[in-house]
Amino acid sequence: MSISITPAANQRMRQFLAQSPAAAGVRFGVKRTGCSGFAYVVDLAETADADDQTFQIDGVPVIVDTKSLPMVDGTVIDFQRQGLNASFVFHNPNATGECGCGESFTVS
């Protein structure tokens, strides 16, 4: 299993965790939605569930549910600012297509 985060994503995740010290980590996964089928989920996790895997990535606890693992293996998570907008950006080698707006993706 391989997920990596850029220094910018690491800094942003640490900021979120510092604001919620009781959080178990950052939850990363996918959900069914959008025009292409799946969308990424990044949120604080209050707890880790029984079917979750926890990875320490550059000092950040990242929690991934087992259903998402095959779809996010190899993903690089970045955080980018463009003008007034700021968001996590995902470079996923498993994605075989994305919708035009970039909000959802497809895996084969």
Side-chain angles (χ1 to χ4, degrees), residues 26-50:
V26 175
R27 180 168 298 284
F28 174 55
V30 298
K31 64 178 181 178
R32 283 200 165 277
T33 189
C35 11
S36 290
F38 295 99
Y40 297 103
V41 176
V42 178
D43 202 357
L44 287 177
E46 295 302 317
T47 61
D49 297 330

Side-chain angles (χ1 to χ4, degrees), residues 5-6 8-14 16 26-28 40-43 76-81 85-91 102-103:
I5 57 178
T6 66
N10 183 298
Q11 180 181 4
R12 186 63 172 162
M13 289 178 182
R14 287 177 183 270
F16 282 133
V26 175
R27 180 168 298 284
F28 174 55
Y40 297 103
V41 176
V42 178
D43 202 357
V76 177
I77 305 171
D78 193 9
F79 183 77
Q80 296 179 353
R81 293 187 183 276
N85 297 321
S87 63
F88 287 103
V89 178
F90 309 95
H91 305 283
E103 293 294 319

